[in-house]
């Protein structure tokens, strides 16, 4: 309303994109209503994916430089920063303090375990389920669909399936998941297709890296912008299945009415989901012979794998996804409490099922107990990641396993996919 640009930073995963895309379309529609300049949405809104689960100094420095150049060259106001599926933790504080020297308001919508004492004074608004007696099972995508509907209620019909995709992408076990899936099914999205959409989003995010991938992501999520809808410009899928240029090819509904077979959305999702499944199977076949197994004092299974040495690198799936897929396989094989650690030279990815791991608390304890370990990180009760200095890997992993061995068994806690048959 006062001409301040909006910059959205979101986690580059399924839930993060389910959060950012609806808010993007709602805000762009609102900007079109407020401003007479047809280019206003392009100038006043920018969506920026973040690979890290926090606001990195590299990202904030780039964002700040872009904002200051915009002010110097074009007289733009400094932006309003909206953090989605990111931004609630102490790791975000250095970036926020960097922005505190300038007139850049910051709001956060996130569902990761927050550090309110660390970030609250640096934020203009902070929405997180933990602050309202809920937890990570209410995902950012679920919340942001409601935020988008508040901004532009006319988007409601286009977004009914998105909360289910967000929940499935982030393995939510929330009580509302059944309702969200029913809502999506009423719109023609069955649970298997919703899972495929989540996998396709994850696959697309991996290859897009730091690009927002506007049209491709819209097609995968099946959320169409007002601008593209009026122009009829959609992503073209080439003979090899790759996403290509856009053109006047008509909307999805038009293609279906013309009898041209499955919609572009369905074709793209099927292609990406199948590629993702193929690449995951190839990766798991490579790592499986090198997985180490032990039984903890709590009787939980512990599986560990050096993903730096025994997994394909610089391809899909990345170490986090590899660890998660291996974990899912072991949970199905055992039917018992399972913890999985995928580690590299200076990082570890953690997954648990049936074990109450307070990963943020463990990180805080490790940072104090392992002198010179340089431990940082965080996550949820069942999913997280940590970093440490390379030379202290053995000490950090050993201490981490000791803490996991003391953790309580809790069969209700799970990081595996919900709605399993």
């Amino acid at each position: 309303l006062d001409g301040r640009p909006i910059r959205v930073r979101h986690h580059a995963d399924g839930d993060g994109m389910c959060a950012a895309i609806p808010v993007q379309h709602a805000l762009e529609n609102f900007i079109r209503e407020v401003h007479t300049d047809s280019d206003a949405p392009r100038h006043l809104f920018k969506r920026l994916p973040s690979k890290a689960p926090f606001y990195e100094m590299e990202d904030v420095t780039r964002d700040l430089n872009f904002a200051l150049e915009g002010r110097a060259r074009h007289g733009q106001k400094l932006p309003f920063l909206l953090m989605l599926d990111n931004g609630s933790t102490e790791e975000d504080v250095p970036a926020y303090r960097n922005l505190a020297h300038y007139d850049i308001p910051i709001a956060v919508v996130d569902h990761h375990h927050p550090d309110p004492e660390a970030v609250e004074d640096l934020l203009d608004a902070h929405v997180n389920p933990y602050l309202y007696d809920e937890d990570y099972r209410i995902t950012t995508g679920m919340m942001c669909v409601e935020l988008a509907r508040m901004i532009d209620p006319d988007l409601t019909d286009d977004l009914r399936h998105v909360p289910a995709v967000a929940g499935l992408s982030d393995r939510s076990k929330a009580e509302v998941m059944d309702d969200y899936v029913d809502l999506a099914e009423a719109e023609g999205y069955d649970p298997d297709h919703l899972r495929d959409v989540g996998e396709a989003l994850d696959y697309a995010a991996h290859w897009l890296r730091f690009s927002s991938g506007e049209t491709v992501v819209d097609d995968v999520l099946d959320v169409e912008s007002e601008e593209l809808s009026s122009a009829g410009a959609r992503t073209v899928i080439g003979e090899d299945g790759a996403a290509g240029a856009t053109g006047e090819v008509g909307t999805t509904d038009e293609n279906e009415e013309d009898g041209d077979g499955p919609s572009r959305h369905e074709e793209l999702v099927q292609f990406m989901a199948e590629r993702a499944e193929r690449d995951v199977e190839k990766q798991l076949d490579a790592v499986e012979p090198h997985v180490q197994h032990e039984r903890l004092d709590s009787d939980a299974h512990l599986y560990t794998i050096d993903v730096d040495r025994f997994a394909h690198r610089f391809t899909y799936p990345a170490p986090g996804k590899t660890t998660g897929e291996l974990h899912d396989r072991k949970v199905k094989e055992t039917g018992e409490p399972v913890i999985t650690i995928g580690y590299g030279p200076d990082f570890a990815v953690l997954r648990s099922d049936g074990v109450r791991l307070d990963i943020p608390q463990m990180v805080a304890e490790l940072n104090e107990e392992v002198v010179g370990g340089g431990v940082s990180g965080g996550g949820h009760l069942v999913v997280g990641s940590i970093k440490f200095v390379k030379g202290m890997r053995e000490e950090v992993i050993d201490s981490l396993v000791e803490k996991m061995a003391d953790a309580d068994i809790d069969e209700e806690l799970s990081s595996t996919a919900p709605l399993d048959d």
Side-chain angles (χ1 to χ4, degrees), residues 215 219 224 227-237 244-252 254-255 264:
T215 311
D219 281 335
E224 189 173 332
E227 185 177 29
L228 287 177
S229 178
S230 61
R234 305 298 287 164
T235 303
V236 176
I237 308 302
T246 58
E248 299 290 333
V249 297
T251 64
T252 296
E254 289 171 351
N255 287 339
R264 182 164 295 102

Side-chain angles (χ1 to χ4, degrees), residues 202-231:
D202 193 61
Y203 189 75
H206 177 84
W207 295 114
L208 285 168
R209 303 192 187 279
F210 300 105
S211 170
S212 60
E214 302 287 352
T215 311
V216 172
V217 174
D218 281 356
D219 281 335
V220 171
L221 190 54
D222 206 17
V223 176
E224 189 173 332
S225 72
E226 181 177 303
E227 185 177 29
L228 287 177
S229 178
S230 61

Side-chain angles (χ1 to χ4, degrees), residues 82-373:
L82 178 59
M83 300 288 294
L84 301 180
D85 200 32
N86 241 346
S88 286
T89 68
E90 189 173 2
E91 288 181 289
D92 299 287
V93 169
Y96 292 159
R97 291 199 182 282
N98 196 11
L99 295 180
H101 300 95
Y102 300 88
D103 175 28
I104 300 179
I106 307 169
V108 170
V109 183
D110 189 16
H111 74 136
H112 294 85
H113 199 286
D115 296 310
E117 293 182 2
V119 301
E120 232 30 82
D121 290 342
L122 298 165
L123 301 178
D124 291 79
H126 187 191
V127 179
N128 190 304
Y130 284 95
L131 303 178
Y132 302 93
D133 299 321
E134 279 287 353
D135 59 26
Y136 64 93
R137 291 174 292 187
I138 303 299
T139 75
T140 311
M142 296 174 185
M143 293 186 287
C144 282
V145 166
E146 302 307 325
L147 176 58
R149 292 177 60 235
M150 292 175 191
I151 299 167
D152 184 0
D154 291 342
L155 283 176
T156 296
D157 289 343
D158 294 332
L159 302 179
R160 294 190 192 278
H161 63 292
V162 176
V165 176
L168 290 168
S169 295
D170 246 27
R171 316 297 182 86
S172 172
K173 298 285 186 177
E175 294 179 3
V176 295
M177 274 304 301
D178 288 338
D179 294 331
Y180 278 137
V181 171
D182 290 343
L183 195 63
E185 282 195 278
E187 297 296 316
Y189 302 85
D190 62 56
D192 288 338
H193 184 62
L194 293 171
R195 289 190 185 93
D196 286 346
V197 172
E199 287 297 315
L201 283 174
D202 193 61
Y203 189 75
H206 177 84
W207 295 114
L208 285 168
R209 303 192 187 279
F210 300 105
S211 170
S212 60
E214 302 287 352
T215 311
V216 172
V217 174
D218 281 356
D219 281 335
V220 171
L221 190 54
D222 206 17
V223 176
E224 189 173 332
S225 72
E226 181 177 303
E227 185 177 29
L228 287 177
S229 178
S230 61
R234 305 298 287 164
T235 303
V236 176
I237 308 302
E239 293 181 359
D240 61 351
T246 58
E248 299 290 333
V249 297
T251 64
T252 296
D253 291 339
E254 289 171 351
N255 287 339
E256 291 174 336
E257 291 172 1
D258 290 341
D260 292 339
S263 72
R264 182 164 295 102
H265 159 75
E266 292 170 340
E267 292 174 341
L268 186 59
V269 167
Q270 181 180 6
F271 168 74
M272 287 189 170
E274 288 177 353
R275 294 279 298 189
E277 182 180 5
R278 183 204 66 176
D279 291 351
V280 165
E281 288 301 316
K282 184 187 298 185
Q283 184 79 295
L284 292 184
D285 289 344
V287 304
E288 188 73 55
H290 309 286
V291 175
Q292 302 294 314
H293 173 256
E294 65 178 283
R295 209 73 182 252
L296 299 176
D297 292 341
S298 63
D299 212 31
H301 296 271
L302 173 66
Y303 295 94
T304 59
I305 177 66
D306 187 336
V307 290
D308 183 62
R309 296 179 60 198
F310 300 116
H312 297 292
R313 299 184 64 193
F314 311 115
T315 189
Y316 185 89
K321 179 75 172 180
T322 299
T323 304
E325 293 290 343
L326 175 65
H327 176 79
D328 290 351
R329 176 180 286 189
K330 296 305 180 184
V331 169
K332 291 177 181 178
E333 287 179 0
T334 65
E336 298 177 354
V338 170
I339 299 171
T340 306
I341 304 176
Y343 60 87
D346 59 356
F347 70 87
V349 180
L350 318 174
R351 298 287 187 272
S352 71
D353 198 282
V355 185
R356 181 169 286 277
L357 299 183
D358 190 337
I359 293 174
Q361 180 62 31
M362 287 183 173
V363 169
E365 293 174 359
L366 286 170
N367 199 33
E368 293 182 2
E369 297 169 7
V370 183
V371 179

